Amino acid sequence: MAATPDWCQRGGLELWIGLNLGVALAYLGLGWAVGRFFAAYGLFPAPIWLPAGLAGVAAMLGGPRLLPGVFLGSFLVNAGVFGSAPPLAAMISAGNALGPWAGAVLTRRFRPHTGLFTRFRGVVAFLAGVVLLHAALSAAGGTLSLWLAGEAPAGALPGIWSRWLLCDAGGTFFFAPSLALWLGVERIPADAGHTRLAPLDATVWFGTAGLALLVFLSKLPPALPSAQLVFLLAVPLSWIALRISLRAAYTLLTLICVIASAGTVAGYGPFQNGGAGNPMQSVGLLIVLCAMNVLTLLALVSERREAEVALAEANLLLERRVSERTAELRRLAETDVLTGLANRRCFMAAAEAALQRGGRPFALIAFDLDHFKSINDTAGHAAGDTVLRLAAERCTAQLRQRDLFGRIGGEEFAIALPVTGRAEARRLAEQLRLALASITLPPAAPRPRVSGSFGLAMAEEGEDGLEGLLRRADLALYAAKHAGRDQVCEAV
């Protein structure tokens, strides 16, 4: 079941006594009302036993903690209102306390973790436990008590039991779900209906209540087939359950039940115009039909809503993962895995775009690491990879945010410098050369430090592509190598 409300868990003996006395007095008041107004319409002890709904909610709310209140209230009703002997009243009351507790246990066992009234499985668990098992055990306890006390012959027991079951089940349907919702025994998810009351919804709610007042507090002509038409009240109740909330729908249903019961007892309404054999039994049938319709319809629709929300969330998650994976694949396709720099294709595309945007003057530096093959041959490829990563890191630290840096070959790198003049580009190339020289090589390497040969080329007027500029920078790089390496040469 849903967690017991905080207000029921707090407090000690005083709160426990107060809650049980409240349950007992409420049970007594409802039992007196049934005996005063409903008992004249037959069945046993009446067509609708209202205290059964209170007992069911008490069992859902407090479990065995509130059963003493149910027992005491039932004992006072049977001994004081119906005049049963104290032993017989005690036996009947034991069944009236055991039934709702067992029903609540069964409902708790088979219901879903959340959504007692918003999932079909929860509705079935509520009907099987709080309604049917509760009524069956209470009826069995009462019937057995009558037989043991000699108040009923054995042959009449099946009939007594079935009538008792019907009146307890009808009383549970009367207001147990509404009371459970208002007391917080069952919390409805925020998306189970709308929280804001639109004008149309309010009109339907109050219009349905007004229609029930008009129908059940009027003397209707005998020829009018209103006893059948009144069951169409299930339609606006379904509207309210789907458009507003289950609480709003069942609150209205409880109000309709009160109006229908009061009007029928007073001799008004469609069930008193000769169209119904037992007017209060017809009221009970109206209650059961509308309650079943509202509960099952909202449960099925809520499950569909939740499935749609879950599907939408799954689609969003899938889209996000696909987007993240696509971005990762794009990054891998554009990035040199070893150094984290742009690879040749990505660098060429970005530098070409920068050149075409007209960020002049435009400089391009091409450099490679001197004697890199000998580093791999003597210190190993792992040491060579480390040198490449360090070269990328040291050079990146010298560059500006707008500069483009990429690895375009094994140990060859290129840097595009938009809006950079010759002198500034030359100064930056020297800084890069010194940054490389700060990298210490392993002892097994042929020389203690890294050096690099740099070629610098400036974009010329009319130069419309990066390939030609890179070719001139490469020629300058080769000139630096031929001149003794570890230096910067400019393209002529």
Side-chain angles (χ1 to χ4, degrees):
M1 301 291 289
T4 301
D6 294 337
W7 59 266
C8 185
Q9 294 179 340
R10 294 192 298 265
L13 180 62
E14 295 82 0
L15 178 63
W16 178 78
I17 294 175
L19 288 175
N20 277 280
L21 285 177
V23 170
L25 292 175
Y27 198 107
L28 174 61
L30 291 172
W32 175 86
V34 169
R36 174 68 176 81
F37 299 107
F38 293 175
Y41 290 92
L43 295 185
F44 187 93
I48 303 172
W49 182 240
L50 296 182
L54 176 69
V57 174
M60 295 170 66
L61 179 67
R65 293 187 294 275
L66 297 183
L67 294 188
V70 174
F71 176 86
L72 177 60
S74 176
F75 180 83
L76 294 175
V77 169
N78 282 280
V81 177
F82 296 125
S84 299
L88 176 59
M91 288 189 292
I92 293 175
S93 299
N96 287 342
L98 175 64
W101 174 75
V105 171
L106 180 67
T107 298
R108 181 184 293 113
R109 172 65 179 82
F110 290 102
R111 62 157 293 174
H113 180 66
T114 59
L116 176 63
F117 298 128
T118 56
R119 286 177 173 81
F120 186 72
R121 177 183 168 188
V123 171
V124 172
F126 174 78
L127 296 177
V130 177
V131 178
L132 294 180
L133 181 62
H134 163 195
L137 291 181
S138 296
T143 303
L144 181 62
S145 300
L146 292 176
W147 179 68
L148 292 175
E151 297 287 336
L157 296 183
I160 296 175
W161 177 84
S162 62
R163 293 193 298 272
W164 201 315
L165 182 147
L166 288 175
C167 72
D168 271 27
T172 303
F173 268 127
F174 196 101
F175 68 89
S178 180
L179 188 60
L181 292 170
W182 282 107
L183 291 178
V185 178
E186 177 62 27
R187 297 178 178 88
I188 297 299
D191 60 347
H194 304 294
T195 56
R196 296 181 61 186
L197 192 63
L200 177 60
D201 300 328
T203 301
V204 173
W205 199 99
F206 288 103
T208 304
L211 179 61
L213 278 170
L214 178 64
V215 170
F216 284 102
L217 296 182
S218 301
K219 286 286 189 179
L220 301 176
L224 188 67
S226 52
Q228 293 78 25
L229 295 178
V230 75
F231 288 92
L232 292 177
L233 288 171
V235 176
L237 283 169
S238 301
W239 167 287
I240 293 167
L242 298 178
R243 290 272 302 179
I244 308 176
S245 68
L246 176 61
R247 179 184 293 178
Y250 221 101
T251 299
L252 178 58
L253 176 58
T254 301
L255 178 60
I256 293 174
C257 292
V258 172
I259 294 171
S261 301
T264 302
V265 168
Y268 297 101
F271 300 133
Q272 291 284 18
N273 66 349
N278 188 321
M280 284 305 299
Q281 192 171 5
S282 297
V283 172
L285 180 61
L286 173 66
I287 294 170
V288 171
L289 174 65
C290 291
M292 290 286 292
N293 181 70
V294 168
L295 292 176
T296 55
L297 180 63
L298 184 64
L300 293 173
V301 173
S302 296
E303 286 186 351
R304 180 175 177 178
R305 286 175 179 167
E306 291 182 6
E308 291 173 349
V309 170
L311 179 60
E313 291 176 350
N315 288 336
L316 288 176
L317 178 61
L318 180 60
E319 290 175 3
R320 184 166 62 250
R321 289 180 175 176
V322 169
S323 177
E324 291 172 353
R325 182 58 178 165
T326 301
E328 177 66 14
L329 292 174
R330 183 182 296 113
R331 187 190 66 80
L332 292 174
E334 298 175 349
T335 304
D336 175 62
V337 178
L338 179 62
T339 63
L341 301 176
N343 58 23
R344 182 183 182 91
R345 182 169 64 87
C346 179
F347 171 79
M348 295 295 289
E352 182 72 47
L355 178 62
Q356 297 302 325
R357 282 195 297 268
R360 304 301 176 90
F362 191 97
L364 185 68
I365 297 174
F367 73 92
D368 72 359
L369 305 182
D370 297 330
H371 306 292
F372 184 75
K373 184 176 182 303
S374 63
I375 296 175
N376 279 335
D377 292 343
T378 57
H381 287 280
D385 290 347
T386 300
V387 169
L388 290 172
R389 284 194 294 269
L390 290 174
E393 292 174 4
R394 302 290 170 86
C395 291
T396 299
Q398 304 298 319
L399 299 177
R400 302 160 301 185
Q401 187 174 4
R402 67 172 182 264
D403 300 333
L404 304 174
F405 190 15
R407 182 185 178 192
I408 60 175
E411 68 272 19
E412 186 175 355
F413 301 84
I415 303 172
L417 307 171
V419 196
T420 304
R422 184 183 303 275
E424 187 179 1
R426 178 66 185 243
R427 183 169 57 254
L428 180 59
E430 288 292 344
Q431 292 175 357
L432 296 175
R433 186 182 67 81
L434 294 176
L436 292 179
S438 67
I439 301 174
T440 303
L441 291 171
R447 48 187 49 78
R449 297 186 181 278
V450 174
S451 65
S453 298
F454 290 76
L456 170 63
M458 301 296 299
E460 298 175 346
E461 287 294 332
E463 191 162 29
D464 58 355
L466 189 69
E467 290 288 350
L469 185 59
L470 180 59
R471 186 163 46 251
R472 291 194 292 112
D474 279 338
L475 291 176
L477 184 156
Y478 296 145
K481 284 187 175 296
H482 289 310
R485 295 182 171 86
D486 195 20
Q487 58 185 284
V488 179
C489 288
E490 296 184 33
V492 295

